[in-house]
Amino acid sequence: MNPFWLASAPPTNCGEQIMRAFDAGWGGAVWKTIGEPITNVSSRYSSIDWNGQRMMGLNNIELISDRPIEVNLREIAEVKKRYPKHVVIASLMVESSREAWHEMVQRTEDAGADGLELNFGCPHGMSERGMGSAVGQVPEYCEQITAWVKEKARTPVIVKLTPNISDIRIPARAAKAGGADALSAINTINSITGIDLDTLEPRPNVDGKSSHGGYCGPAVKPIALNMVQQVMSDPTAALPMSGIGGVATWQDAAEFILLGAGTVQVCTAAMHYGYRIVEDMADGLLAWMGRKGYQSLDDFRGRSLPNVLEWKQLNLNYKIVAHIEETKCIGCDLCYTACWDGAHQCIHLDRGLPSPDITRTPAQIAAISSRTISMTPLPKLDAHSAGGHGPYATPLARIPRVDEEHCVGCNLCSLVCPVPECITMQQRDTGLPPETWEERVAKGAAAEANAITGNPNL
Amino acid sequence: MSTSVGFFERSPGSPEIAARFGDLHPPLAPASAVIEAHRCLYCFDAPCTAACPTHIDVPRFIKKIASGNLEGSARTILDANILGASCARACPVQVLCEGSCVMHRNNERPIEIGRLQRFAMDALHASGAPLPFSPGADTGKKVALIGGGPASLACAAELRRQGIQAEIFDARELPGGLNTYGIAEYKLPLAESLREIDMLAQLGVEFHFNATVDAEKLAALEAQFDAVFLGVGLGAIHKLGLANEEREGVTNALDFIAGYKSGTITSVPEKVAVIGGGNTAIDAANAAVRLGAAEVHMIYRRGPQQMSAFAFEYEHAKQEGVRFHFHVTPVGIVGADRIEALQLARLEELTDGMLVPKAEDGRVLEVDLVVLAIGQGTHTDFLRDGKVQLEKGRIVVNRVNGKTSNPKYFAGGDCTNGGREVVDAVADGKRAGIGIAAWLEVAHANA
């Protein structure tokens, strides 16, 4: 089964787009939310660039479909006629009345939609009209409307969850209680992407003003993964899941599936690069599955869920320390700076010294260094110099040393190191059996209890 | 003549030269500069900073480009190197900052530090903002600087920032020395050198042009000023010592380069030979190609490995179309009124490294123009009365502060080191400026 769906958004605005997307290799599409047509503003998108990369995060204040319901329904019918094997889900948002929902469910199913996605997540504009996240944020509404839809629906009903809530499991449980067949998560996150420092106007700029918008793109994936995991690990909330949030590569898709998603929905990446990105997403996922020996998505779906625990269930006696591979070190000393300023001061630049020196701070070393350099040898002009130019071997004094005894194994150095596999975290045997905080507290409580009863064996 | 502004407006040159000597390393586009800046790792105690003779805090100025703080970036550069714009273009970055970039060790392209530096400096110039420094509170002290090249300019800037009056005396019509007259136009255009010096003038540096300083004049200046900085550079280019060397059609690389840069030379004859193997020889040879010579020959007495020119300069000259002749030397100049050919002899290297011409193995190379680039003599004859200690014609200094054997005299640049890079002269000048200010303070305190 092709798990790659386009999320309900501008890339699924009309039948022509969706048919082109199917031609490009998408397995399904969630039609841009259908409801009473709205009027949009301009501009409506804004993005965050990072280190020269465009659109690490995208935000929008676009509303649901601005096209008449009849047009959308007619095109759904057309798409299904031409692409009967592809999944077409109708995303719906109507006013909170039973009749309105019943009517809309009837009409979209009659048009041929394979399923319904209830948009309880849109955080801007629609929520002010009592729809979208205004529903998703109130478990009672969520359950009630899901139940209304289920009274009428003949196709599967997916409830799309908003992340703009303190515990996503609560609306998920409500949706399940209301009879939902599946969930999708997450919708966009409330955000202000930035402010123009020349004009002091926030973005996206609508005649000098802006509004909070929905954040998406690569930046939101960690938040989405966490929310999917939360829902899927909760038996009272878990349902078949369509994972959404920053999915742009096959790795992203695999991660969502490993946390229990059955399909993934993509929007920002398609807005950024077009429908063609699905080719590598599918190709890469299949190649990875081949390497891992997985025949189907079910072979690895949810396989990482047991590995996500509560902090109190982690092994306190597992110890790792940083190890710097000298032959790979290029001497940028970012790990040194990071450890001193950002972590626990256990990396030192004293390999060139006769004995370890753990007292000098980076500022002191920089000051000494700037005092010792006054003239630079020029190859060719200075016969006595080393001659030639780069790459030089990294001087011993620039290769940092880890003070293993004090290294807390936080991992920061290996995260900042620009050279792959230069800094690795190595396990050190503490000689202690695994023990979690939960166990330690329980033991402590037992010891306390025994102390009171006077048990001499503890 | 004494003036202090508007060198850039008065810069000579010709449109044809500008067209023929387009940028060797074109400026970075803003988006590329930001991406390149983001590649910088921001090393601790960075090797590039150590490799720069003026110790520009390279990661710091690059990060400011990445963040869009171009103003701060330019200030960071200028704080360490007041001639940051010309050094960005003229520096052999391949063997200095970029040569020491840790990226090499990661099998990656080094960060394009030179082009990023130029980007920040160009942005400052384009913004029309003044030099981001102001003169220090006036100390009432004044220093005469002999020579208007990079060493004196850097020294003068340092003095002004410390509230000391700085007057530069230069034999030429425009300031800048080698920066203005001697660096290949495709690296550092004459106009750019002057634009940068205009900014220095805003600090209150005074200039005296066509002011050749001899022993007598020096004595007068010494009496008039609190200290003297010698930044006289090197002297004339050596001669071959052959008969007919004064004949028309024989010139030297410095006059040749200064000539085309200032627009007095706009073309060359068909066949040009450049004698020498240094970076100046390469600059002259490339210039001859761009000025339209059909054949440009480089004559060098040893092999390519022994040339003092950097390897990348050699590669560049080959790409420009310069033909290299190694292990040969001119032994005669042929021609009645003007030069027609060079008689060349093969050289044999003896076991002790001596080179001996093999007369029987000679050839004749037809040439219309010979450009000599076989090293420069010193230019310190006017100091021979024992004013300062000399060694092989070079002024002996304490490199830390530019002090000479005479307490009132400081020196830096090519006249002390025998001829190095512009950035070395800037570093010398800066150190001497700091040295002079410190000395004047002590002298003043004791007075």
Side-chain angles (χ1 to χ4, degrees):
Chain A
M1 194 194 105
N2 183 337
F4 298 105
W5 292 3
L6 284 168
S8 169
T12 58
N13 200 41
C14 68
E16 185 271 342
Q17 280 177 289
I18 290 174
M19 289 189 284
R20 278 197 287 119
F22 288 167
D23 289 343
W26 295 88
V30 184
W31 209 278
K32 184 166 163 94
T33 306
I34 303 164
E36 283 306 321
I38 49 71
T39 307
N40 269 307
V41 292
S42 62
S43 61
R44 42 187 109 148
Y45 309 141
S46 162
S47 71
I48 301 279
D49 300 339
W50 197 72
N51 274 13
Q53 289 272 347
R54 289 293 206 175
M55 273 170 67
M56 172 191 78
L58 177 72
N59 131 323
N60 80 88
I61 53 170
E62 186 165 305
L63 304 182
I64 64 168
S65 183
D66 53 10
R67 309 162 79 232
I69 296 169
E70 314 77 63
V71 174
N72 279 312
L73 297 180
R74 198 165 60 232
E75 290 181 11
I76 287 176
E78 179 69 19
V79 170
K80 276 312 293 181
K81 196 171 83 187
R82 296 204 206 175
Y83 294 82
K85 289 180 182 163
H86 287 73
V87 178
V88 175
I89 307 285
S91 171
L92 303 180
M93 186 192 287
V94 293
E95 60 172 289
S96 297
S97 85
R98 188 178 180 185
E99 296 68 36
W101 278 101
H102 278 187
E103 190 204 338
M104 185 60 98
V105 168
Q106 174 86 49
R107 290 174 73 187
T108 42
E109 290 191 338
D110 288 349
D114 298 302
L116 308 171
E117 186 181 82
L118 312 187
N119 183 346
F120 292 170
C122 190
H124 44 78
M126 302 312 288
S127 51
E128 292 147 26
R129 309 177 192 189
M131 294 185 261
S133 62
V135 174
Q137 287 165 339
V138 182
E140 294 75 22
Y141 296 168
C142 201
E143 180 175 345
Q144 178 67 75
I145 294 175
T146 307
W148 288 339
V149 171
K150 280 301 289 181
E151 287 168 5
K152 191 79 180 174
R154 289 163 279 143
T155 60
V157 174
I158 306 168
V159 171
K160 185 168 179 176
L161 302 172
T162 176
N164 299 307
I165 189 161
S166 52
D167 187 343
I168 196 155
R169 290 173 297 190
I170 292 167
R173 286 171 193 151
K176 189 168 185 171
D181 300 292
L183 300 169
S184 56
I186 56 173
N187 206 306
T188 53
I189 306 169
N190 267 332
S191 66
I192 293 173
T193 45
I195 294 170
D196 185 317
L197 292 179
D198 287 326
T199 64
L200 313 189
E201 293 163 350
R203 296 186 297 261
N205 187 327
V206 183
D207 195 15
K209 302 288 186 287
S210 192
S211 184
H212 68 94
Y215 199 44
C216 55
V220 311
K221 189 185 82 171
I223 297 163
L225 283 176
N226 174 58
M227 290 188 164
V228 167
Q229 181 272 331
Q230 292 239 295
V231 170
M232 296 310 284
S233 298
D234 178 3
T236 61
L239 281 173
M241 169 68 78
S242 188
I244 313 170
V247 180
T249 65
W250 62 265
Q251 288 98 331
D252 300 331
E255 288 167 13
F256 274 94
I257 296 167
L258 284 165
L259 290 177
T263 59
V264 289
Q265 296 185 29
V266 179
C267 170
T268 310
M271 289 178 75
H272 197 163
Y273 301 110
Y275 301 131
R276 59 192 169 153
I277 53 154
V278 74
E279 191 274 331
D280 178 57
M281 295 177 81
D283 190 45
L285 187 67
L286 278 173
W288 173 75
M289 287 169 65
R291 288 196 296 278
K292 302 292 286 183
Y294 300 137
Q295 306 293 320
S296 74
L297 300 177
D298 285 328
D299 289 351
F300 65 99
R301 176 174 306 131
R303 285 280 280 265
S304 294
L305 281 172
N307 294 337
V308 185
L309 301 173
E310 286 183 62
W311 191 93
K312 66 183 180 188
Q313 296 166 318
L314 301 177
N315 179 6
L316 296 171
N317 290 337
Y318 174 71
K319 180 179 165 74
I320 52 171
V321 293
H323 176 77
I324 298 170
E325 177 55 48
E326 280 179 52
T327 57
K328 292 199 166 116
C329 177
I330 61 173
C332 69
D333 294 352
L334 284 189
C335 56
Y336 170 72
T337 309
C339 189
W340 271 83
D341 292 1
H344 301 83
Q345 303 86 45
C346 24
I347 294 185
H348 304 283
L349 287 183
D350 55 10
R351 286 205 204 221
L353 303 179
S355 58
D357 174 9
I358 59 169
T359 57
R360 286 183 309 170
T361 65
Q364 286 168 332
I365 289 186
I368 293 165
S369 163
S370 63
R371 280 201 298 276
T372 55
I373 45 176
S374 62
M375 231 186 105
T376 311
L378 266 190
K380 290 253 178 188
L381 291 184
D382 299 302
H384 57 275
S385 79
H389 57 89
Y392 309 103
T394 306
L396 196 58
R398 288 198 71 85
I399 301 178
R401 176 186 67 89
V402 177
D403 175 3
E404 268 197 24
E405 195 192 330
H406 294 103
C407 176
V408 299
C410 76
N411 199 27
L412 180 65
C413 53
S414 77
L415 299 180
V416 300
C417 180
V419 184
E421 276 140 45
C422 175
I423 302 186
T424 50
M425 303 307 292
Q426 297 188 346
Q427 192 178 349
R428 293 286 179 268
D429 187 9
T430 55
L432 299 168
E435 184 190 30
T436 67
W437 173 249
E438 198 171 35
E439 287 163 352
R440 188 175 289 182
V441 169
K443 205 184 286 176
E448 212 170 295
N450 285 320
I452 294 165
T453 56
N455 186 331
N457 296 326
L458 285 167
Chain B
M1 176 192 169
S2 173
T3 182
S4 59
V5 280
F7 303 125
F8 178 62
E9 274 76 34
R10 294 193 284 126
S11 60
S14 82
E16 190 180 343
I17 294 298
R20 283 179 177 271
F21 289 82
D23 268 320
L24 192 59
H25 301 293
L28 285 168
S32 315
V34 169
I35 290 172
E36 186 64 14
H38 276 299
R39 284 211 313 128
C40 173
L41 296 176
Y42 205 30
C43 294
F44 170 77
D45 187 19
C48 48
T49 293
C52 172
T54 60
H55 306 313
I56 295 174
D57 193 331
V58 175
R60 178 177 298 192
F61 94 72
I62 289 181
K63 276 298 158 203
K64 288 176 196 244
I65 293 175
S67 81
N69 177 9
L70 296 183
E71 207 179 297
S73 180
R75 197 182 322 114
T76 303
I77 294 163
L78 290 169
D79 200 32
N81 181 335
I82 200 74
L83 299 187
S86 51
C87 286
R89 293 156 170 267
C91 269
V93 291
Q94 293 92 330
V95 299
L96 293 174
C97 51
E98 292 180 20
S100 67
C101 180
V102 299
M103 285 291 188
H104 285 293
R105 300 168 196 155
N106 205 17
N107 291 324
E108 278 190 60
R109 237 173 0 96
I111 308 302
E112 294 198 57
I113 300 168
R115 291 176 81 197
L116 285 170
Q117 184 170 322
R118 175 174 165 188
F119 181 80
M121 297 311 301
D122 281 355
L124 177 74
H125 287 162
S127 75
L131 207 56
F133 306 116
S134 43
D138 191 9
T139 60
K141 300 286 172 190
K142 55 181 188 173
V143 174
L145 301 103
I146 319 301
S152 286
L153 292 170
C155 183
E158 196 59 48
L159 292 172
R160 291 302 301 136
R161 289 178 71 185
Q162 307 225 24
I164 297 162
Q165 196 180 324
E167 294 187 29
I168 290 179
F169 297 84
D170 197 287
R172 297 228 197 211
E173 283 168 35
L174 286 169
L178 203 73
N179 271 12
T180 300
Y181 291 105
I183 295 174
E185 188 76 1
Y186 50 63
K187 291 182 195 159
L188 176 58
L190 181 146
E192 292 297 328
S193 167
L194 294 177
R195 188 203 298 273
E196 184 172 55
I197 297 166
D198 273 337
M199 295 194 86
L200 278 186
Q202 293 164 4
L203 271 182
V205 177
E206 284 182 48
F207 293 89
H208 302 271
F209 299 113
N210 301 315
T212 307
V213 174
D214 52 20
E216 198 183 340
K217 179 91 190 273
L218 187 64
L221 291 175
E222 182 186 322
Q224 206 187 332
F225 287 83
D226 296 293
V228 177
F229 175 77
L230 300 167
V232 296
L234 291 173
I237 287 199
H238 293 306
K239 301 268 184 186
L240 285 169
L242 297 176
N244 304 332
E245 201 166 343
E246 308 304 327
R247 193 151 284 179
E248 198 186 339
V250 181
T251 184
N252 69 71
L254 290 182
D255 289 347
F256 181 62
I257 293 170
Y260 89 76
K261 277 177 75 81
S262 56
T264 56
I265 296 174
T266 52
S267 66
V268 289
E270 284 267 294
K271 297 170 184 170
V272 179
V274 178
I275 320 291
N279 294 315
T280 305
I282 299 256
D283 279 358
N286 289 344
V289 173
R290 295 196 177 209
L291 289 168
E295 291 176 18
V296 177
H297 302 273
M298 214 150 128
I299 315 292
Y300 181 57
R301 61 206 175 107
R302 296 183 193 267
Q305 296 304 319
Q306 287 83 40
M307 286 198 299
S308 64
F310 295 120
F312 56 86
E313 293 282 14
Y314 174 41
E315 291 305 319
H316 175 217
K318 285 196 285 190
Q319 281 168 24
E320 292 268 340
V322 175
R323 303 175 201 185
F324 284 81
H325 305 263
F326 294 110
H327 305 291
V328 287
T329 191
V331 289
I333 293 173
V334 183
D337 299 326
R338 53 172 300 126
I339 187 162
E340 286 164 15
L342 274 178
Q343 281 174 333
L344 301 176
R346 271 209 95 62
L347 287 171
E348 197 176 17
E349 188 165 351
L350 302 181
T351 47
D352 62 356
M354 279 279 285
L355 294 171
V356 180
K358 287 162 68 181
E360 75 280 7
D361 196 10
R363 57 177 287 210
V364 171
L365 182 70
E366 282 183 27
V367 290
D368 306 310
L369 177 69
V370 172
V371 182
L372 300 180
I374 49 177
Q376 285 173 265
T378 54
H379 185 51
T380 49
D381 288 344
F382 70 113
L383 300 166
R384 289 217 183 275
D385 59 359
K387 192 138 265 172
V388 296
Q389 189 194 339
L390 302 176
E391 197 178 289
K392 292 182 191 164
R394 299 179 196 174
I395 301 166
V396 179
V397 289
N398 176 351
R399 286 193 66 94
V400 176
N401 50 23
K403 280 186 176 172
T404 68
S405 58
N406 182 332
K408 203 171 178 179
Y409 280 78
F410 291 74
D414 284 356
C415 65
T416 62
N417 62 32
R420 289 170 67 102
E421 301 299 323
V422 171
V423 66
D424 291 292
V426 174
D428 282 358
K430 182 173 80 168
R431 286 191 292 259
I434 296 167
I436 292 170
W439 179 73
L440 286 177
E441 198 172 355
V442 172
H444 185 69
N446 292 343

